[in-house]
Amino acid sequence: NQMVHVDQGKIEGASATPSVNELANLFSKHHISKVEEFSNDHVLSLDTLSDHLVILDYPTDTPLAMYLNEVMNVPAKVPSNFKFNRIILDMNSRHDIDVYAIDADRQRAIKMTTDVSVKTIKGHLDEMSSNLEPYTDILTDQTTVNKATYLYAPKAPKDLRTYRTIFNNINVEDLNSILFDDTPIVRTTRSGTTTYNNNTGMVNYDANKETYSYTNLSEDEHSTRDMNISIPRTFDYINKHGGFTDDFRLFKANGSKGEMIYQMFINGRPIFDSTIRNQIRVIWGERGIFEYSRGLLKTN
């Protein structure tokens, strides 16, 4: 979602533009030499943190083991049940970065000693400096009482650009040919919604809203709850069934429902709509996909 740079009393930040994402990618294929776990029944204090930090906030809880091994290609033995939505880079060392993954309840943290140099991170921050704006730390309740757990946000309201956008249509028949093993039967209703189905699946296509929803009739709603497995499987499934046609990012992962939602971003900010036109939504069944819904527009 955003990056925040805390250096003594100076706080600056930016929404998650490509340069912010590149900062996270600096850890790709590096090495973690030590892993430690911290916990507190109330709220983390992490007294060992210095006054020079880089904070990366993520939209949803993500399994740390999956993120390190599948996304960053960093082999590490961390608890398989640990999920994070904040990463803190401690810049105090003269040599290498210490990384803290913080859980959403702000009660657990995993500290990782890396071989990523402080000099590398500082160099990237220097390149980004002109794009950073003043931020502030915000205390709201007992879960946001220190520098590890504060909410961080722009210090003052800022004018945002609006954009005229040209959209291209994703072809319904192309998606049908990928999702159905044979030619589906077409049933059209007066409301503009077209239904396609065969023995194993059914699609509802709304021509007015440009939305597409597929249900796998051979599956049931018994969901896969292991996000370490479901998130990579969802990423692969979408790539093979229409693809990420814009800057879509994992925005919500519900383990109890086996549901994953990817949200469209433009210039580092999420784009919302009253329909699912700006989302890709996948629900897992017991053995495979139960439901797959998405908008059929892509920005041009």
Side-chain angles (χ1 to χ4, degrees):
N1 259 352
Q2 65 178 9
M3 184 216 75
V4 182
H5 182 205
V6 180
D7 190 1
Q8 304 296 329
K10 184 179 180 182
I11 305 175
E12 295 181 307
S15 59
T17 55
S19 61
V20 170
N21 290 327
E22 287 172 14
L23 178 63
N25 290 336
L26 293 175
F27 288 83
S28 179
K29 299 181 181 179
H30 276 266
H31 180 66
I32 293 174
S33 58
K34 185 178 179 182
V35 174
E36 301 172 74
E37 183 170 355
F38 299 86
S39 64
N40 192 302
D41 291 338
H42 300 290
V43 63
L44 287 165
S45 58
L46 297 182
D47 297 330
T48 57
L49 281 180
S50 73
D51 292 322
H52 192 186
L53 309 172
V54 173
I55 297 165
L56 302 171
D57 284 328
Y58 292 74
T60 188
D61 296 356
T62 304
L64 181 61
M66 185 279 302
Y67 185 75
L68 292 174
N69 294 313
E70 300 278 347
V71 180
M72 306 305 294
N73 197 18
V74 176
K77 292 184 178 180
V78 295
S80 60
N81 65 345
F82 183 87
K83 298 177 184 177
F84 73 95
N85 68 358
R86 169 171 285 184
I87 294 285
I88 299 178
L89 316 181
D90 194 333
M91 307 276 287
N92 189 47
S93 169
R94 293 182 180 180
H95 303 291
D96 298 332
I97 295 289
D98 286 330
V99 179
Y100 294 80
I102 314 292
D103 77 337
D105 294 329
R106 303 301 186 243
Q107 293 179 333
R108 294 177 70 197
I110 300 292
K111 179 184 177 183
M112 294 162 284
T113 304
T114 75
D115 62 350
V116 179
S117 70
V118 172
K119 183 179 178 180
T120 298
I121 302 298
K122 285 183 176 178
H124 194 76
L125 288 172
D126 289 342
E127 294 174 3
M128 296 172 57
S129 60
S130 61
N131 296 321
L132 301 182
E133 60 180 296
Y135 266 53
T136 186
D137 47 20
I138 304 171
L139 173 65
T140 60
D141 56 26
Q142 64 177 2
T143 64
T144 59
V145 294
N146 57 58
K147 56 194 171 188
T149 64
Y150 283 136
L151 294 180
Y152 292 92
K155 193 170 185 177
K158 181 183 177 183
D159 292 335
L160 297 179
R161 292 180 180 271
T162 59
Y163 296 88
R164 294 180 180 271
T165 306
I166 299 171
F167 286 100
N168 289 335
N169 293 78
I170 300 170
N171 190 284
V172 177
E173 301 300 335
D174 289 345
L175 271 182
N176 282 345
S177 66
I178 296 171
L179 287 160
F180 291 107
D181 294 331
D182 52 20
T183 303
I185 300 169
V186 181
R187 294 186 176 90
T188 305
T189 63
R190 295 179 183 176
S191 64
T193 300
T194 305
T195 301
Y196 303 86
N197 72 277
N198 66 4
N199 292 329
T200 60
M202 180 179 70
V203 162
N204 286 317
Y205 164 58
D206 190 320
N208 298 319
K209 295 179 179 178
E210 292 290 349
T211 57
Y212 183 97
S213 297
Y214 168 78
T215 301
N216 184 356
L217 301 177
S218 62
E219 263 297 343
D220 56 38
E221 293 186 72
H222 184 283
S223 57
T224 302
R225 292 176 170 82
D226 188 347
M227 294 290 103
N228 284 292
I229 298 172
S230 295
I231 291 177
R233 287 174 70 194
T234 300
F235 185 81
D236 290 340
Y237 181 88
I238 294 171
N239 270 325
K240 295 174 182 176
H241 297 84
F244 294 97
T245 48
D246 278 282
D247 180 9
F248 282 96
R249 306 184 189 180
L250 183 62
F251 204 71
K252 187 176 182 181
N254 188 324
S256 62
K257 293 182 179 180
E259 177 186 51
M260 255 116 338
I261 294 176
Y262 281 81
Q263 192 79 24
M264 184 191 293
F265 277 64
I266 294 179
N267 295 334
R269 299 185 185 276
I271 306 302
F272 297 101
D273 188 81
S274 58
T275 71
I276 61 167
R277 279 180 293 200
N278 301 109
Q279 289 184 342
I280 300 175
R281 178 172 173 259
V282 173
I283 298 178
W284 284 93
E286 188 172 7
R287 295 170 300 279
I289 290 292
F290 171 68
E291 188 175 304
Y292 173 47
S293 303
R294 64 179 298 155
L296 291 182
L297 296 175
K298 55 184 177 180
T299 56
N300 181 14

